Amino acid sequence: MVEHMAEMIIPEDGTPGAKTAGVAEFIDFMVANRVPVSASRDIRSTEDAIQSGNQAQASFILGLGWMNARCHAEFGSNFMDCAPDQQNSLLEELAYKEKFKPTTETGREFFRMMRDYTVVGYYTTKIGLESLGYPGLRTSWPKMPGCTHPDDPEHAHLREPKISNLPALRSAG
Amino acid sequence: MTAKIYDAIVVGTGAGGGTAMKILCEAGLQVCAINSGPRTNPATDYRRHRQVYDLKYRGYGDPMRLKGKPHQEPYSVEESEYSEGRDLFEHDVAYSNAPGTDWYWKRCKGTGGKANFWGRSSARFGDIDFKAADLDGFGENWPVDYAEIAPWFSKAERYMGVASTIQNRPSNPDGEYLPPIPWRCLDYIIQKGAEKIGVPYLPDRCAQLTVAHNGHLACHYCGNCSRGCDVGSFFSPTWFAIPEAEATNNLTLLTNAVVRSVLVDESGMAKGVAYVDRTTRKEVEIYAKVVVLAASCVETAHIMLNSNSRHWPTGIANSSGQLGRNLCDHLYGNPGYGYLPQLLGQPATPDNIADSTVTWMPRWQNLKNPHEEKFIRGYAIYMGGGCGEFPGHYGQIEGFGAKYKREIKRYYPTSVGALIQAPALSSPNNYVDIDPEQKDIFGIPQLRFHYQWGANELLMWEHSKQVMIDLFKAMGGEMWGADAEPNRPGTSLHEVGVCRMGSDPKTSVTNKWAQAHDVPNLYICDASIFPTITDKTTTMPIVAFAMRTCDHVVENFKKGIHKRT
């Protein structure tokens, strides 16, 4: 279910999605080891870290249960047994402000957390960073290239290119 | 058998202590340098081109990593999963905060100290800083002026290698520079916007080797800087001063030695230091003709306050009562962040490969008239952004799915943010003292902080938020938000003032040579001697003042004021 939702959040399009990038394994690892990625509280001690981690783990597990319960109430089956458009409409209710419904706060909270874990899990893999074209994958540059349009300092005339499905830069090790 | 007596003991091996040991050793003096933690080893302790996916917790770190330590608070920014398990940061020695104080004291105990991981911004102070009291009537001037210090800034710059340009602004004096780091797209856009609202946007003074310098390799732009440079392409004692001092064969370097106090002779002069061996927990004494403290500002004050004797009942060289007082820090915070729509959908650009403050907005307030604004003096802002190591803007975009993924990439080059660097004014309420009750695990009485932001720096903070609103408008950007509160005091690591220098022994701890008024064979080579904090950073000036102080020490040995052993 985590793997499926992660892929719904970051699907394979031109570049691999969350599933190929191993995001579900990452989330399992982080939740099991109680490492929050969306905690806003200050960590001042190991005790704080433990509390914050326990809270993240509990909310995550609670959230998974909430998703299934909601699917049962709305569509009569667990999340994974729902049709793709049903799954999609539930996530939309949790993701978009204008589609929010009352009494779904727990679900929205869970979705935020799930999305944070997914985005962190995806963009901290080589696959995810390549999909962005993260320049730091290359660890040696002869010099810093800098801006290539100094003749247009305000950058008012750039053409928005069609985003290529190929990574812009490849890792040089 | 008599114990060995060194010519000089240097406590601390960071920017100040590293520079001190190098100069004293190169002058032929026998130096014992003492470092509180282990030897830093670039081959194991730095990032070493690892990527975030090479880390077990992808940069979040093992939440249990500091379990059982006396001080368990992780140090954001400096300490990371890349150095996890390397014991470079101080978690054994706890400190206290007085009620209402929330000081964040981040300490690197490995040799080289925080200068292994520093931010490299290296502007010169000017007379607008040294003589600020003349201009606005607050506090006191420094005991030195720009003309006196300028040659030492030049020496420090030539030694360290600083990249920048000549800018002709008296408030921000020019130095001797390597070629600047080229601007990114976002810099050109911000500069145009800043120009419209009358704010300077200029290359920072950045201690990064854009070309090979003094036998050190040019930067290869891996972006690992703040996790340690694997080849020494920016100034750090680990790559510069420590090996240079060792090459003289005049250096004895003690590691894992936590200095407790300065020892005095029967006349109250310094005769050495007492330290606790971190491994055996035994107390050891070593002796020297001259003691140089460079333990990093508040730690220097900590050692001096703990050096109480019948001569110095409130701490060594504290007849002025100013030891530990006048604590000032840079107020840090993000007064505005958002994105530049001009760059939406552009291919990823290598914006962060220098990992540097490529540019900054040096102080522009109160230049013509010191009372032009509601606050006195002025602050600087660093802008950054573009394609970084993580698309931190993901939270600003709604939704999920293929469109969401495309939007994350589309916004990737566009995000920009700010960092204010606002100098606090000194206040009688901001100081450090010794906690009367708490001792650390080595039996050393703990340092206690008393600190609140004052009205002047908070007015700067409010001012900077309005500037960011105006700037985003002027540069055609869209704002996402701003920090609600500034960062905790201590975050900047730029604290100064607790052993301030001055001409009058009644109101200052050291003279203008950073030599204690009361104890002429005790010198200080860190930012604790700076009487005020400015809109500029402290490291390059620490190196410059340490060079000047140590040349003075060497002179005093030559003149026979200090006698060699």
Side-chain angles (χ1 to χ4, degrees):
Chain A
M1 179 171 168
V2 170
E3 183 174 73
H4 183 76
M5 270 190 287
E7 184 70 14
M8 284 179 75
I9 292 168
I10 301 195
E12 178 165 350
D13 46 5
T15 58
K19 189 173 175 179
T20 313
V23 170
E25 290 83 351
F26 167 76
I27 298 176
D28 277 353
F29 174 80
M30 296 292 265
V31 173
N33 285 284
R34 293 174 280 195
V35 190
V37 299
S38 31
S40 55
R41 65 183 278 182
D42 251 1
I43 302 293
R44 301 287 181 99
S45 64
T46 304
E47 189 52 40
D48 286 349
I50 292 170
Q51 277 183 22
S52 173
N54 281 341
Q55 213 176 326
Q57 191 184 55
S59 314
F60 194 83
I61 293 164
L62 181 80
L64 289 172
W66 186 93
M67 295 294 282
N68 277 330
R70 179 82 182 179
C71 286
H72 264 286
E74 296 273 310
F75 313 117
S77 59
N78 275 339
F79 182 83
M80 291 304 286
D81 298 324
C82 288
D85 61 325
Q86 292 173 330
Q87 292 175 344
N88 205 58
S89 77
L90 174 58
L91 287 202
E92 283 185 349
E93 278 175 23
L94 304 176
Y96 294 95
K97 242 186 219 126
E98 58 178 31
K99 294 188 178 179
F100 283 177
K101 290 189 173 162
T103 75
T104 56
E105 288 82 0
T106 310
R108 279 183 254 152
E109 180 71 14
F110 168 74
F111 176 77
R112 236 191 336 267
M113 200 173 177
M114 178 67 205
R115 197 180 78 155
D116 287 348
Y117 269 123
T118 303
V119 169
V120 168
Y122 183 73
Y123 291 107
T124 53
T125 60
K126 196 170 185 189
I127 287 174
L129 289 167
E130 277 178 344
S131 87
L132 278 178
Y134 166 54
L137 287 175
R138 178 174 157 182
T139 52
S140 177
W141 298 71
K143 63 186 181 70
M144 177 140 164
C147 169
T148 52
H149 355 73
D151 52 327
D152 178 16
E154 295 185 63
H155 290 68
H157 311 292
L158 298 182
R159 306 252 301 269
E160 182 164 341
K162 199 166 158 277
I163 287 183
S164 155
N165 288 333
L166 291 169
L169 296 157
R170 286 205 179 271
S171 164
Chain B
M1 185 186 134
T2 48
K4 177 168 172 119
I5 301 175
Y6 293 93
D7 293 319
I9 289 170
V10 176
V11 178
T13 63
T19 304
M21 70 168 90
K22 163 198 158 69
I23 290 177
L24 300 178
C25 284
E26 287 179 351
L29 299 175
Q30 290 297 313
V31 176
C32 180
I34 309 181
N35 192 72
S36 78
R39 180 87 188 221
T40 300
N41 180 358
T44 51
D45 300 344
Y46 288 170
R47 177 164 168 178
R48 297 177 288 120
H49 296 168
R50 283 172 291 166
Q51 300 289 357
V52 66
Y53 45 80
D54 298 320
L55 302 175
K56 196 170 169 192
Y57 295 88
R58 308 267 181 96
Y60 287 84
D62 179 351
M64 304 303 283
R65 66 192 178 277
L66 297 171
K67 194 177 171 210
K69 292 279 184 188
H71 186 74
Q72 298 171 348
E73 182 175 28
Y75 305 142
S76 61
V77 185
E78 293 74 25
E79 188 177 32
S80 72
E81 200 180 336
Y82 290 108
S83 59
E84 203 167 300
R86 305 303 312 172
D87 198 33
L88 291 180
F89 292 87
E90 182 62 86
H91 292 287
D92 295 329
V93 177
Y95 63 94
S96 316
N97 273 322
T101 294
D102 190 20
W103 189 276
Y104 189 23
W105 193 20
K106 303 183 275 187
R107 294 155 291 165
C108 177
K109 66 182 178 185
T111 51
K114 291 169 289 186
N116 285 294
F117 310 106
W118 68 298
R120 306 176 301 290
S121 185
S122 301
R124 292 180 173 211
F125 299 166
D127 274 336
I128 195 167
D129 306 307
F130 296 130
K131 297 181 180 174
D134 278 353
L135 297 170
D136 56 37
F138 181 86
E140 285 168 57
N141 287 341
W142 289 49
V144 295
D145 63 8
Y146 182 69
E148 189 172 347
I149 294 303
W152 299 96
F153 283 154
S154 293
K155 270 195 179 181
E157 286 160 352
R158 285 197 292 263
Y159 174 51
M160 301 165 74
V162 179
S164 191
T165 56
I166 298 303
Q167 299 168 1
N168 297 312
R169 292 166 52 84
S171 55
N172 185 25
D174 292 312
E176 300 184 18
Y177 298 127
L178 309 178
I181 298 173
W183 279 18
R184 306 152 293 191
C185 295
L186 61 98
D187 294 313
Y188 285 96
I189 298 171
I190 300 170
Q191 194 276 328
K192 280 287 165 195
E195 196 177 277
K196 285 181 198 159
I197 60 166
V199 170
Y201 190 84
L202 295 161
D204 189 18
R205 302 7 180 128
C206 185
Q208 196 145 337
L209 304 185
T210 49
V211 292
H213 182 72
N214 289 347
H216 300 282
L217 294 173
C219 176
H220 58 283
Y221 300 98
C222 68
N224 286 191
C225 321
S226 55
R227 309 283 179 237
C229 181
D230 59 323
V231 295
S233 293
F234 67 78
F235 167 78
S236 74
T238 299
W239 287 106
F240 284 56
I242 297 173
E244 287 157 5
E246 282 180 324
T248 65
N249 290 320
N250 292 328
L251 180 72
T252 305
L253 177 59
L254 301 179
T255 53
N256 289 311
V258 184
V259 172
R260 165 200 280 273
S261 61
V262 179
L263 301 167
V264 294
D265 62 18
E266 58 288 347
S267 60
M269 296 301 104
K271 68 166 186 185
V273 302
Y275 69 85
V276 179
D277 185 310
R278 212 181 263 269
T279 20
T280 63
R281 302 270 177 110
K282 288 222 172 76
E283 190 160 315
V284 184
E285 296 191 348
I286 51 164
Y287 306 104
K289 296 289 184 180
V290 161
V291 172
V292 178
L293 294 179
S296 100
C297 194
V298 281
E299 182 56 22
T300 288
H302 184 201
I303 293 168
M304 290 173 70
L305 288 164
N306 270 333
S307 307
N308 42 7
S309 59
R310 102 188 129 81
H311 299 94
W312 311 112
T314 62
I316 192 167
N318 192 25
S319 68
S320 66
Q322 293 299 314
L323 181 58
R325 316 295 303 192
N326 310 303
L327 176 62
C328 294
D329 190 27
H330 274 143
L331 178 145
Y332 265 23
N334 184 342
Y337 56 92
Y339 70 99
L340 298 170
Q342 300 92 318
L343 297 177
L344 279 170
Q346 292 300 310
T349 40
D351 299 316
N352 198 33
I353 56 174
D355 189 25
S356 275
T357 50
V358 175
T359 49
W360 73 328
M361 291 157 29
R363 170 177 167 183
W364 68 93
Q365 320 89 29
N366 291 329
L367 294 186
K368 284 200 188 105
N369 168 355
H371 298 287
E372 216 172 300
E373 303 285 351
K374 287 190 201 133
F375 51 86
I376 58 167
R377 309 200 177 168
Y379 63 87
I381 287 180
Y382 297 100
M383 300 289 297
C387 300
E389 202 166 345
F390 181 75
H393 58 277
Y394 78 90
Q396 305 293 341
I397 303 164
E398 251 194 341
F400 63 95
K403 179 158 182 282
Y404 180 58
K405 187 180 172 188
R406 271 200 306 279
E407 289 294 282
I408 288 179
K409 181 162 169 64
R410 193 163 160 262
Y411 279 82
Y412 185 42
T414 70
S415 66
V416 285
L419 173 68
I420 182 179
Q421 181 163 285
L425 295 178
S426 64
S427 151
N429 301 323
N430 291 343
Y431 61 98
V432 291
D433 63 5
I434 299 297
D435 190 314
E437 274 147 29
Q438 301 291 324
K439 288 185 177 175
D440 66 30
I441 58 166
F442 305 113
I444 302 175
Q446 277 177 205
L447 191 64
R448 180 171 63 179
F449 290 86
H450 306 255
Y451 198 89
Q452 308 285 338
W453 295 125
N456 200 64
E457 47 270 25
L458 289 170
L459 282 169
M460 291 181 184
W461 168 241
E462 290 309 319
H463 186 269
S464 71
K465 288 200 208 178
Q466 186 56 48
V467 167
M468 293 313 292
I469 291 169
D470 298 342
L471 177 65
F472 270 87
K473 205 168 156 197
M475 68 189 180
E478 297 286 338
M479 233 172 144
W480 279 323
D483 283 356
E485 300 284 333
N487 298 156
R488 294 162 64 192
T491 301
S492 78
L493 308 169
H494 296 159
E495 74 277 3
V496 306
V498 288
C499 306
R500 74 174 174 194
M501 53 162 76
S503 309
D504 184 353
K506 290 195 190 69
T507 57
S508 55
V509 179
T510 80
N511 65 18
K512 69 173 186 173
W513 304 104
Q515 179 180 27
H517 287 298
D518 300 338
V519 182
N521 68 340
L522 176 63
Y523 294 83
I524 298 175
C525 285
D526 59 33
S528 63
I529 57 169
F530 297 169
T532 61
I533 192 163
T534 74
D535 67 307
K536 293 110 179 164
T537 54
T538 45
T539 304
M540 189 282 282
I542 289 172
V543 172
F545 276 84
M547 286 176 152
R548 177 171 168 273
T549 292
C550 290
D551 268 22
H552 190 70
V553 173
V554 172
E555 276 303 304
N556 283 346
F557 270 105
K558 281 186 190 151
K559 287 184 196 156
I561 294 169
H562 306 311
K563 298 210 165 26
R564 296 215 40 193
T565 55

